[in-house]
Amino acid sequence: MRKTSRLIPLVLSGVLALTAAACTQSGPGGETAKPDSTAAEVKIDPNAPGWKGDTSPVTFDWYLNFSWFGSKWGADPTSQYITKKTGVNLNLIVPAGNENEKLNTMIASGKLPDFITLGWYEDGVKKMIEGGMVLPLNKLADQYDPYFVKVADPAKVSWYTQPDGNVYGYPNAAASPKDYETSGDKQTSNQTFLVRKDMYEALGKPDMRTPEGFLGALKAAKEKFPEVGGQPLIPLGLHEFGDTGNYSLEDYNQRSSILQNFLAVPMEKDGKLYDRTTDPEYVKWLKTFRKANEEGLLVKDIFIDKRPQMEEKIAQGRYFAMMYQRTDFAAQQNVLYAKDPNSVYIAVDGPGNAKQDPPVLSGGTISGWTVTLISKDVKDKARAIRFLTYMLSEEGQKDFYLGEKGVSYDTIDGKDQFKPEALALLNKDRTAYDKRYGSAYTFWMLMDTTMNLKWAPPAVEPFKQLEDWTKGKTKSFSQFDQVNPTGTSEEGIIAGKISALWGKTLPKLLLAKSDGEFDQIFAKFLKDRENAGIAKVEAYRQKVYEDNLKKLKQF
């Protein structure tokens, strides 16, 4: 995201000065957008939610670039309630296989669904914006629903404003610097190093912060617990390997891997972005993982399994240890807890640097997790921006989180909160809860994880220990967000090549037969990325990082 700080006041003043309504509006390519018939029928009040002016039935196609998402709109009380209330029905579309292939195919076709939700770090975001395939939210709001300005976070709007002065996407799960000021002690991270509680305790709670202790614990677990439920134990689990790496070890695009943060590898030094990939502590631990493979402690499953396969094995308790995001296996943790509370996974101090510094975990950032965009092909511009505004508002957030009053929540002891039976199911079986109630952000496309703190119940086991462990170790990495070039720019093309190169190199490093072979593979990677033009990418990153610091100062 590249924009000089001097543009920010102009952008904000432009957004905050949204006018009531206009008959026509210039589109991102300078073309004149045709006004929706709906806009002419509804009197626009900038001080009132626009969606209330028209609640007639309309169905939007909404694409989520996550193959694992399985909930269906309209199959639960919450989505039914929201449709009845707003008139909006959603046809949720998810890719059946590889997300990148599906998204690229849609982009190449030149036609997109009405709404698109994908990770902010995905290259497709820039492709859609540069290709004029998505509409500026600020212009849609100006024409059809100026109430957007009252509910959108100015910091997030400014952060996502493009060099042309428009904002095309809005994030979910985003935390601004102000959020950290008001609730810093409550901020948590998803990044955890986990062990199966009963096995860990049976081994005497070994210290796994050093390479020797780490390897020793994995070996001891394999020897003491060779099988789980008649199937081989998997000593260590990681996130799935993808085209650009592995988030547990290093995702070259996101630059905020779990391992590097556990090692407290700095993101910058003396104002200059630091090359975490070549950090000696990080390389030492990659060699530790290589040694684990040499000793038979990395099974082939971890190199080929995707999330569904991993979830099945987590639910079976087959991993001894995992470097994994805690919320990604909530349903499976519940399954284990129901069978035996001692078989759950707990967070412990994992790999550490030589100084044994505490980990510096990544918390929510201003970029959030995903962004949602509205296609230029959207069937009803007015209803689309009004529904998005509703979702961002406190009313919408409450509906998506608590659901319908009397169904999944009620006013109990003077506070709006989940009904006891709903909360019990939420804590016991998340999958069943989603089907039975559909609230608690089953539909998370625009969830505000800071706003929902006012309604969120206290964490309970088997999740409380995981969440509490991250408190006090969690920091905002907002200033490092979106520094990677994407799209078809020279830097973007180079970065893409290097990311793909790293994605192929990382497994080879772990599968190397010796440290000597590891060194040769790693040296070749460094040489290849140098030849590919890494210097230009690093210069781009540094410039954006410095711009980010300026942008964040105003908040």
Side-chain angles (χ1 to χ4, degrees):
M1 196 57 40
R2 195 171 183 178
K3 185 171 72 66
T4 58
S5 59
R6 63 187 176 84
L7 287 176
I8 295 172
L10 297 176
V11 170
L12 285 177
S13 63
V15 173
L16 294 175
L18 296 176
T19 57
C23 294
T24 60
Q25 181 67 47
S26 177
E31 75 281 3
T32 299
K34 296 179 181 179
D36 283 3
S37 58
T38 312
E41 300 167 2
V42 179
K43 182 179 179 181
I44 299 177
D45 180 355
N47 297 310
W51 68 267
K52 293 185 177 182
D54 183 359
T55 57
S56 61
V58 63
T59 297
F60 288 115
D61 294 328
W62 194 312
Y63 175 78
L64 295 92
N65 199 42
F66 300 91
S67 60
W68 50 262
F69 183 79
S71 296
K72 303 295 183 182
W73 188 270
D76 60 87
T78 296
S79 58
Q80 292 168 6
Y81 165 65
I82 292 171
T83 292
K84 181 179 179 181
K85 179 177 184 176
T86 66
V88 176
N89 179 50
L90 299 180
N91 173 36
L92 299 179
I93 305 167
V94 297
N98 184 286
E99 290 93 344
N100 287 334
E101 289 181 4
K102 173 67 174 178
L103 184 63
N104 287 333
T105 298
M106 289 196 309
I107 292 174
S109 74
K111 187 169 178 61
L112 299 173
D114 302 306
F115 288 85
I116 309 97
T117 295
L118 70 167
W120 62 257
Y121 43 85
E122 299 285 352
D123 194 49
V125 176
K126 193 166 187 179
K127 287 181 180 178
M128 288 185 287
I129 293 173
E130 290 181 342
M133 303 181 71
V134 289
L135 298 174
L137 301 183
N138 52 301
K139 291 187 176 182
L140 287 173
D142 186 7
Q143 188 169 358
Y144 301 116
D145 192 12
Y147 194 72
F148 171 84
V149 177
K150 293 188 177 296
V151 301
D153 185 330
K156 295 166 189 173
V157 169
S158 175
W159 184 258
Y160 274 99
T161 297
Q162 300 292 311
D164 65 1
N166 294 317
V167 56
Y168 296 88
Y170 198 92
N172 77 348
S176 67
K178 184 178 180 181
D179 292 331
Y180 272 83
E181 289 180 12
T182 58
S183 60
D185 58 334
K186 297 180 181 178
Q187 294 289 340
T188 60
S189 175
N190 267 340
Q191 298 182 327
T192 45
F193 179 74
L194 308 144
V195 291
R196 190 170 142 166
K197 184 175 184 293
D198 50 2
M199 295 181 181
Y200 183 68
E201 292 176 348
L203 295 175
K205 299 182 179 180
D207 182 357
M208 301 180 72
R209 299 208 72 196
T210 66
E212 297 76 19
F214 181 81
L215 292 171
L218 295 183
K219 185 177 181 181
K222 183 179 180 181
E223 292 174 350
K224 191 174 183 66
F225 308 99
E227 291 189 345
V228 178
Q231 300 184 79
L233 175 81
I234 303 174
L236 180 68
L238 304 170
H239 279 277
E240 65 182 73
F241 282 81
D243 295 337
T244 60
N246 185 306
Y247 180 63
S248 296
L249 304 178
E250 186 200 49
D251 184 327
Y252 205 78
N253 277 335
Q254 294 191 60
R255 298 171 63 87
S256 185
S257 77
I258 301 177
L259 176 60
Q260 290 172 331
N261 288 349
F262 263 79
L263 301 179
V265 178
M267 298 283 279
E268 60 83 28
K269 286 187 176 182
D270 300 322
K272 299 294 182 182
L273 288 179
Y274 180 61
D275 185 2
R276 301 179 106 199
T277 306
T278 58
D279 181 83
E281 292 283 353
Y282 175 61
V283 174
K284 178 180 73 175
W285 271 93
L286 282 187
K287 288 185 174 181
T288 301
F289 280 79
R290 186 213 66 78
K291 186 67 174 178
N293 182 68
E294 181 183 332
E295 296 183 358
L297 302 173
L298 297 187
V299 302
K300 66 178 181 180
D301 303 48
I302 69 171
F303 293 99
I304 59 177
D305 281 351
K306 298 302 180 183
R307 181 162 168 168
Q309 289 77 42
M310 295 186 64
E311 290 177 345
E312 180 181 358
K313 291 169 182 175
I314 294 172
Q316 295 168 345
R318 289 185 60 190
Y319 298 100
F320 163 62
M322 293 191 294
M323 188 163 281
Y324 207 71
Q325 293 198 113
R326 61 183 177 85
T327 59
D328 281 11
F329 71 102
Q332 294 73 41
Q333 178 86 323
N334 258 330
V335 171
L336 293 170
Y337 190 71
K339 291 180 181 177
D340 179 2
N342 285 318
S343 71
V344 300
Y345 289 93
I346 58 173
V348 298
D349 293 337
N353 61 32
K355 296 180 180 179
Q356 298 291 281
D357 293 323
V360 181
L361 307 178
S362 175
T365 67
I366 196 166
S367 290
W369 166 32
T370 71
V371 288
T372 291
L373 309 95
I374 296 177
S375 165
K376 67 177 178 59
D377 301 311
V378 65
K379 60 177 61 72
D380 190 325
K381 298 184 183 71
R383 296 294 295 280
I385 188 62
R386 290 168 187 162
F387 187 66
L388 185 144
T389 298
Y390 155 73
M391 294 178 75
L392 299 184
S393 70
E394 183 168 330
E395 180 178 4
Q397 290 293 317
K398 186 176 181 181
D399 288 345
F400 275 87
Y401 186 72
L402 287 180
E404 183 178 7
K405 188 170 186 178
V407 178
S408 53
Y409 91 94
D410 223 325
T411 303
I412 304 172
D413 298 327
K415 179 183 178 181
D416 289 342
Q417 54 186 300
F418 290 118
K419 296 175 69 174
E421 60 270 27
L423 182 59
L425 184 59
L426 177 62
N427 289 329
K428 179 182 179 181
D429 190 334
R430 177 71 212 217
T431 302
Y433 180 91
D434 289 347
K435 294 178 180 178
R436 173 67 182 86
Y437 294 103
S439 49
Y441 289 142
T442 295
F443 304 97
W444 39 257
M445 296 86 82
L446 285 164
M447 65 180 178
D448 187 327
T449 49
T450 298
M451 187 184 295
N452 96 295
L453 292 175
K454 66 180 68 178
W455 308 301
V460 298
E461 298 303 351
F463 312 108
K464 186 177 186 301
Q465 190 273 340
L466 305 180
E467 180 179 298
D468 288 348
W469 186 87
T470 68
K471 292 180 179 178
K473 306 178 182 73
T474 303
K475 305 293 182 184
S476 172
F477 286 3
S478 287
Q479 64 269 40
F480 305 105
D481 276 359
Q482 305 195 30
V483 298
N484 288 298
T486 58
T488 57
S489 66
E490 181 183 11
E491 296 90 348
I493 293 173
I494 294 171
K497 289 180 179 178
I498 295 174
S499 294
L501 177 63
W502 176 251
K504 294 177 181 177
T505 301
L506 181 58
K508 293 179 182 178
L509 293 172
L510 303 186
L511 296 170
K513 292 181 171 57
S514 66
D515 281 351
E517 183 180 340
F518 178 105
D519 291 337
Q520 291 177 357
I521 295 170
F522 194 60
K524 183 177 186 304
F525 165 73
L526 296 181
K527 184 66 175 178
D528 288 346
R529 73 170 191 173
E530 180 182 350
N531 292 337
I534 185 68
K536 291 184 178 180
V537 174
E538 292 298 350
Y540 175 96
R541 288 172 174 157
Q542 182 66 30
K543 175 64 169 62
V544 178
Y545 165 63
E546 292 171 3
D547 287 347
N548 285 350
L549 291 176
K550 296 174 184 177
K551 290 165 70 173
L552 290 168
K553 275 186 178 180
Q554 65 181 314
F555 303 114

